[in-house]
Amino acid sequence: MENYSAVNKYIKSIFEREKAVKKIAKGSIIYHQGDAADCFYYLKSGRVKVIMTSPDGLEKTLSTASGGEILGEAAFFDKMPRISSALAMTDIEVTAINESKLLSLIRENPRLALELLKIQASRIRLLSGQIDSMVFMKADGRIARLLLQNMNAGDNTVTLTHEEIAGMAGASRVTVSKTLNNFKRKGILLTDYGRIVILNTDALRKISE
């Protein structure tokens, strides 16, 4: 299972050179759903939650991002209003990339355009997977797939909270807690200091399938 939130190392190497870094406090909104998008953001450090809000106020977590990832690029590229908001879950540092800056970077680094397309393809695949999960899969399958998609390949850890998993998997917090405890009893995972450690990825894949 591909980790769709994995940092693109080439993009990181380019955007880390930018000096115009803005600090944003925990709990602040980076951009609002419905805003015009004249830039996208490179997240230098910290964690961000991307959310969508319905007209009646219901909130859905689409994804989370950590240092080295980009945010808000879809609306920037298609010049349509933003379909989501981004909330700082911790104190963060971001760099805003507008059109003139991006064109300059691509002229200097032509490969950057291809790498940004790869990011877009991964986001589309992630959202398609979420739709497929909510329509066709039971809660334990949705949660298993979500854990695999957000697992850090380096140490098999997931840093999502129960609330974040519930929002992204379309399940209640009670269901998430019960499911994770069930996985824990089966030796599939364990919890350790605010993170989830995956012990048996094959078992999770079977559940997600």
Side-chain angles (χ1 to χ4, degrees):
M1 180 72 66
E2 187 174 356
N3 180 1
Y4 299 119
S5 63
V7 172
N8 184 301
K9 294 180 180 179
Y10 184 82
I11 288 177
K12 182 178 180 179
S13 71
I14 299 299
F15 291 150
E16 281 288 335
R17 303 172 193 168
E18 297 301 308
K19 303 299 183 183
V21 177
K22 180 179 180 180
K23 296 183 178 181
I24 298 177
K26 176 181 178 180
S28 300
I29 295 291
I30 303 152
Y31 57 80
H32 289 86
Q33 184 173 326
D35 284 353
D38 58 357
C39 68
F40 66 94
Y41 297 90
Y42 171 70
L43 180 58
K44 188 175 179 68
S45 66
R47 294 190 70 216
V48 168
K49 177 167 64 173
V50 180
I51 57 177
M52 180 182 288
T53 307
S54 69
D56 56 0
L58 294 177
E59 184 179 292
K60 163 72 175 173
T61 300
L62 299 178
S63 64
T64 60
S66 55
E69 297 186 61
I70 61 174
L71 302 164
E73 75 287 351
F76 168 78
F77 286 129
D78 69 11
K79 303 304 179 186
M80 298 292 287
R82 296 194 186 277
I83 62 170
S84 60
S85 302
L87 173 70
M89 301 168 66
T90 64
D91 291 344
I92 66 170
E93 294 181 316
V94 295
T95 298
I97 308 294
N98 59 25
E99 186 169 331
S100 62
K101 170 56 69 175
L102 179 61
L103 291 174
S104 174
L105 289 172
I106 289 174
R107 280 193 292 268
E108 296 169 4
N109 311 274
R111 180 182 162 189
L112 178 60
L114 177 60
E115 298 302 325
L116 288 169
L117 286 174
K118 289 180 181 179
I119 292 290
Q120 289 301 292
S122 294
R123 299 283 166 86
I124 292 169
R125 190 182 293 271
L126 172 61
L127 293 175
S128 298
Q130 288 183 354
I131 292 170
D132 176 68
S133 295
M134 286 187 283
V135 173
F136 298 112
M137 298 180 71
K138 294 181 180 180
D140 60 344
R142 298 198 302 269
I143 293 167
R145 176 177 288 187
L146 184 67
L147 292 175
L148 289 168
Q149 289 175 341
N150 289 274
M151 182 179 68
N152 184 325
D155 57 8
N156 282 21
T157 61
V158 178
T159 56
L160 298 173
T161 66
H162 286 202
E163 182 179 4
E164 290 163 359
I165 293 172
M168 296 170 73
S172 68
R173 288 188 64 179
V174 172
T175 297
V176 170
S177 295
K178 288 181 177 179
T179 301
L180 293 179
N181 285 334
N182 184 39
F183 290 168
K184 189 174 181 179
R185 285 194 298 271
K186 293 180 178 179
I188 296 173
L189 56 79
L190 58 84
T191 54
D192 178 41
Y193 298 104
R195 63 179 185 166
I196 298 168
V197 182
I198 308 301
L199 303 176
N200 190 335
T201 56
D202 289 338
L204 272 189
R205 287 193 181 96
K206 288 180 180 179
I207 296 170
S208 71
E209 294 168 356

